[in-house]
């Protein structure tokens, strides 16, 4: 039926208004996630927020708290008779910059009247749940400071780290030392350097001694002559984490003050990533011949430092650590109160350029008759799987969307992936094509290639299909709950996309990928139709001929928005 011009215009306006309403719902949910994370991540358990129950863990007879006008923010603990039992301090916010495995921990420290520690307890933490529980269960660690004087803790009272939660327990120690006024050395890399540590930089060295003023600087001699110096990245860069932890880097300088290279020391990061970096001589010469001032002011973006293939996060953390310690040492030498600002800029790697080329090719193929060519279609699908999936690892996922909603879009660090996300969301919004699902998703390409490859095919009944099609929407609800409530579950595990980055993929995401592909052998595009929350979201935002109708799924989306709003209200209150 053809509408007359007046009704056609009204229909177009209605379709646009309804579609904009859908977009507003999505944008509002993203905004609430961002606001919720911003408020929860900056909010610390302030002294005034302490409850008697929290303090009673350290002072069982405590009945009230009383603030004291002191510089250290202590709070007096009183018993039923009003007598003082001691006082408590907490490490936040002064020590919030000290991170463990994945975040800072706020520790409550109790003291008696003679400044002896009566105990410690964990108030809150942004660190990984399993690591934190491992620390809390370790009675030896949690009671290791009991009876020690406050000055002892501020003067580097170091206890053994908790096995299996090394970074978390070391960060807790550093937080307490920093909070109580101590100058924190490196608890992660406390061992002094040896000649073996610097042999790759100075093979002829026969003497190595620390500088009397600068603890991170070591002098190197050979045959009685000074041949250079070594600057340790620790402790200045101890909080720069690669894939799973920090890595100590040694920077060698010759007698003229020029870098001869870097050496990789002890690391808490994963093998074989550290090994890849340690063995890559080209990467280790990245900063060769640079002087300290150049190194301290270096811009990794402008230098186009891309890291070591297969160990990008580890190697880039090493590079950041090199610049950080050089900057810190330069500040010490120049006695400046503040660090010089490093310039920032857009870093475009080869993979970013390749990803952008693939995006343009997908748009051209999807919008022209080229998509009808079987040869072109198969060749491009293989390109998606091999390059975009296995090599570049650029895929749109709920874990990525949630992360960007919380922290912002990393345009400078990942322009290629950013462009991919823009294409994924912009094309459905402004056209009738879901270009990502049909022409850009590597996992979708796998399903298209295997579709109909075996003779036996399963035909699902209409009722069963409708039930299975509820799964992606329920997964979207799960993603919202996990993100807004900071639940200790990984969104990576519910989708197959990390399986393409197979070097770091977990078994859950691999299982989802395998099950989805096997199912697609018998039911065409099974995962896309019945399992993909990201595809469900993109399809919801797709502009089509039925966009003028407000349907049940719109009411569900509105319900998700209402839930997000309630969770946000709960956080800010």
């Amino acid at each position: 039926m053809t509408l007359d011009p007046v009704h056609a215009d009204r229909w177009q306006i209605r379709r646009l208004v309804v579609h904009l309403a859908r977009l507003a719902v999505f944008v509002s949910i993203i905004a609430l996630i961002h606001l919720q994370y911003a408020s929860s991540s900056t909010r610390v358990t302030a002294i005034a927020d302490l409850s008697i129950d929290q303090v009673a863990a350290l002072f069982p007879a405590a009945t009230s708290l009383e603030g004291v006008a002191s510089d250290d923010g202590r709070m007096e603990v009183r018993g039923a008779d009003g007598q003082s039992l001691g006082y408590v301090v907490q490490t936040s916010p002064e020590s919030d910059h000290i991170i463990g495995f994945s975040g800072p921990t706020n520790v409550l420290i109790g003291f008696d009247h003679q400044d002896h520690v009566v105990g410690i307890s964990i108030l809150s933490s942004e660190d990984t749940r399993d690591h934190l529980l491992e620390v809390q269960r370790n009675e030896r660690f949690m009671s290791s400071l009991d009876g020690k004087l406050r000055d002892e803790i501020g003067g580097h009272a170091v206890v053994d780290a908790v096995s299996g939660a090394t970074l978390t327990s070391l960060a807790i120690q550093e937080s307490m030392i920093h909070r109580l006024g101590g100058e924190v050395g490196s608890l992660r890399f406390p061992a002094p350097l040896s000649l073996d540590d610097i042999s790759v930089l100075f093979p002829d060295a026969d003497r190595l001694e620390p500088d009397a003023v600068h603890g991170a600087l070591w002098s190197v001699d050979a045959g009685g002559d000074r041949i250079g110096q070594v600057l340790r990245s620790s402790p200045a860069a101890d909080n720069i984490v690669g894939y799973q932890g920090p890595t100590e880097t040694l920077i060698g300088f010759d007698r003229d003050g020029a870098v001869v290279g870097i050496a990789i020391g002890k690391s808490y990061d994963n093998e074989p990533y550290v090994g890849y970096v340690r063995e890559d001589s080209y990467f280790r010469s990245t900063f060769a011949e640079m002087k300290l001032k150049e190194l301290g002011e270096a811009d990794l973006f402008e230098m186009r430092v891309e890291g070591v293939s297969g160990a990008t996060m580890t190697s880039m953390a090493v590079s950041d650590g090199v610049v950080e310690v050089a900057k810190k040492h330069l500040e010490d030498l120049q006695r400046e109160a503040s660090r010089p600002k490093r310039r920032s800029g857009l870093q475009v790697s080869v993979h970013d350029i390749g990803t952008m080329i693939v995006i343009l090719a997908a748009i051209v193929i999807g919008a022209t008759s080229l998509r009808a060519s079987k040869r072109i279609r198969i060749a491009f699908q293989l390109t998606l799987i091999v390059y975009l999936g296995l090599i570049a690892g650029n895929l749109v996922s709920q874990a990525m969307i949630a992360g960007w909603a919380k922290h912002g879009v990393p345009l400078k660090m990942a322009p290629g992936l950013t462009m991919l996300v823009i294409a994924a969301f912009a094309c459905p919004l402004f056209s009738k094509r879901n270009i990502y699902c049909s022409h850009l998703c590597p996992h979708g390409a796998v399903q298209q290639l295997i579709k109909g490859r075996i003779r036996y095919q399963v035909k699902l009944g209409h009722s069963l299909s409708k039930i299975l099609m509820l799964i992606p929407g329920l997964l979207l609800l799960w993603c919202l709950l996990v993100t807004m409530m900071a639940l200790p579950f990984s969104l990576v595990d519910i989708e197959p996309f990390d399986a393409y980055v197979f070097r770091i993929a977990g078994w859950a995401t691999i299982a989802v990928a395998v099950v989805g592909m096997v199912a697609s052998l018998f039911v065409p595009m099974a995962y896309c139709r019945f399992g993909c929350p990201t595809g469900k979201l993109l399809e919801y935002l797709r502009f089509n001929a039925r966009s003028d109708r407000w349907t049940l799924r719109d009411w569900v989306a509105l319900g998700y928005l209402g839930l997000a709003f309630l969770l946000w209200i709960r956080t800010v209150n």
Side-chain angles (χ1 to χ4, degrees):
M1 182 177 70
T2 303
L3 298 176
D4 61 75
V6 174
H7 286 88
D9 289 341
R10 290 178 179 175
W11 177 78
Q12 290 286 6
I13 293 173
R14 176 182 171 82
R15 186 170 69 151
L16 180 61
V17 169
V18 173
H19 195 66
L20 287 176
R22 292 192 182 102
L23 177 60
V25 169
F26 171 68
V27 172
S28 298
I29 291 175
I30 294 296
L32 287 171
I33 291 173
H34 183 76
L35 291 172
Q36 188 271 351
Y37 180 79
S39 61
S40 63
S41 62
T42 57
R43 180 167 53 98
V44 298
T45 306
I47 291 292
D49 292 335
L50 283 177
S51 67
I52 290 297
D53 289 339
Q54 289 172 312
V55 176
L58 307 180
F59 295 92
T63 59
S64 64
L65 296 170
E66 181 178 315
V68 176
S70 62
D71 293 336
D72 65 358
R74 70 175 64 184
M75 201 163 199
E76 198 80 17
V77 182
R78 298 190 180 278
D81 56 1
Q83 294 296 313
S84 174
L85 303 176
Y87 67 94
V88 292
V89 297
Q90 57 183 301
T91 57
S92 286
E94 288 87 349
S95 297
D96 283 351
H97 65 285
I98 299 174
I99 63 173
F101 185 78
S102 61
T105 297
N106 189 14
V107 184
L108 185 68
I109 313 171
F111 295 92
D112 63 17
H113 296 297
Q114 288 75 43
D115 285 341
H116 290 97
V117 176
V118 299
I120 65 173
S121 67
I122 307 299
L123 290 177
S124 61
S125 180
E126 291 184 34
D127 216 325
T128 307
R129 179 196 59 180
D130 292 342
H131 292 147
L132 188 66
L133 288 175
E134 194 70 24
V135 173
Q136 291 176 302
R137 291 169 181 163
N138 192 301
E139 294 183 7
R140 184 171 178 271
F141 178 87
M142 295 299 292
S143 62
S144 58
L145 298 182
D146 290 1
K148 291 186 179 293
L149 283 169
R150 178 169 178 160
D151 289 343
E152 289 184 71
I153 302 174
H156 299 215
V158 179
V159 298
D160 291 336
V162 176
S163 177
T166 303
L167 295 179
T168 300
S169 55
L170 289 178
I172 289 174
Q173 291 184 49
E174 290 185 17
S175 296
M176 292 188 292
I177 294 173
H178 179 78
R179 175 64 179 83
L180 299 175
E183 291 295 327
V184 183
S186 177
L187 299 184
R188 293 167 172 82
F189 307 102
L193 293 183
S194 68
L195 290 174
D196 288 341
D197 294 327
I198 66 166
S199 60
V200 68
L201 300 173
F202 299 99
D204 298 327
D206 57 22
R207 181 180 173 81
L208 181 66
E209 59 181 14
D211 187 84
V213 178
H214 305 287
L217 189 66
W218 293 64
S219 299
V220 184
D221 296 343
D225 295 327
R226 177 67 46 81
I227 62 173
Q229 292 179 307
V230 171
L231 185 63
R232 303 178 69 170
S233 66
S234 180
D238 281 1
N239 287 312
I240 296 179
V241 176
Y243 181 67
Q244 278 198 336
T247 297
E248 180 173 46
T249 307
L250 310 178
I251 313 167
F253 295 88
D254 62 19
R255 283 178 291 190
D256 298 324
V259 175
V260 297
I262 63 175
I264 308 301
K266 183 181 177 182
S267 178
Y268 290 93
D269 217 328
N270 277 12
E271 292 289 359
Y273 305 146
V274 179
Y276 294 159
V277 179
R278 187 176 283 117
E279 296 167 4
D280 194 315
S281 58
Y282 178 79
F283 174 78
R284 289 189 287 103
S285 65
T286 299
F287 306 99
E289 301 184 4
M290 296 179 69
K291 296 294 183 73
L292 179 65
K293 189 174 188 299
E294 297 177 85
L295 199 57
E297 297 176 350
D299 190 322
L300 299 179
F301 295 151
E302 289 188 355
M303 291 178 63
R304 298 189 179 278
V305 177
E306 296 185 9
V308 177
S309 178
T312 303
M313 294 180 68
T314 301
S315 55
M316 290 307 296
V318 167
S319 300
D320 286 336
V322 168
V323 175
E324 181 69 18
V325 69
K327 184 166 63 173
K328 175 65 168 59
H329 188 56
L330 188 64
E331 290 173 0
D332 292 342
L333 295 177
Q334 297 174 341
R335 297 182 180 180
E336 293 178 348
S338 59
R339 294 176 177 174
K341 294 182 179 180
R342 287 161 53 188
R343 294 170 292 172
S344 60
L346 186 65
Q347 181 186 23
V348 181
S349 68
V350 173
H351 287 329
D352 292 320
I353 296 174
T355 298
M356 294 177 191
I357 292 173
V358 171
I359 294 170
L360 289 175
I363 293 174
V364 171
I365 293 173
T368 66
S369 59
L370 290 175
R371 65 180 182 274
S373 171
K374 184 177 180 180
R375 290 183 178 180
I376 292 177
R377 186 172 65 251
I378 292 177
F380 190 68
Q381 288 167 349
L382 292 174
T383 300
L384 293 178
I385 297 167
V386 175
Y387 181 76
L388 208 58
L390 299 176
I391 297 177
N394 284 340
L395 299 96
V396 181
S397 68
Q398 289 300 301
M400 185 210 68
I401 293 171
W404 289 15
K406 291 189 292 185
H407 303 288
V409 178
L411 176 60
K412 293 179 180 178
M413 294 297 293
L417 183 57
T418 302
M419 292 300 106
L420 181 66
V421 174
I422 291 175
F425 282 91
C427 288
L429 282 172
F430 301 107
S431 72
K432 296 181 181 181
R433 294 185 174 88
N434 183 350
I435 197 72
Y436 180 79
C437 290
S438 60
H439 290 88
L440 278 173
C441 177
H443 199 61
V446 171
Q447 293 175 85
Q448 291 175 23
L449 285 174
I450 65 177
K451 182 171 63 174
R453 295 295 176 179
I454 62 175
R455 176 175 295 182
Y456 180 74
Q457 296 288 295
V458 177
K459 292 185 179 180
L460 302 178
H462 179 70
S463 298
L464 179 58
S465 295
K466 291 190 69 174
I467 293 174
L468 293 176
M469 289 179 69
L470 296 176
I471 294 175
L474 293 175
L475 289 176
L476 284 173
L477 176 60
W478 175 247
C479 294
L480 179 63
L481 292 173
V482 169
T483 305
M484 292 294 292
M485 299 178 68
L487 299 178
F489 298 99
S490 174
L491 296 183
V492 168
D493 294 340
I494 68 171
E495 293 183 296
F497 306 127
D498 258 33
Y500 289 84
V501 193
F502 56 87
R503 292 181 298 273
I504 63 171
W507 287 111
T509 189
I510 291 175
V512 173
V514 172
V515 170
M517 286 188 285
V518 172
S520 296
L521 283 171
F522 301 94
V523 179
M525 310 300 292
Y527 177 76
C528 290
R529 294 167 59 193
F530 306 123
C532 185
T534 299
K536 186 76 169 181
L537 175 61
L538 294 175
E539 186 61 27
Y540 174 71
L541 295 174
R542 186 169 70 90
F543 194 50
N544 57 68
R546 299 173 60 186
S547 291
D548 65 311
R549 305 175 187 177
W550 188 265
T551 64
L552 177 60
R553 65 177 186 171
D554 295 301
W555 288 113
V556 171
L558 204 60
Y560 287 4
L561 174 59
L563 176 61
F565 181 76
L566 292 176
L567 293 174
W568 174 67
I569 289 294
R570 187 195 68 166
T571 300
V572 297
N573 290 337

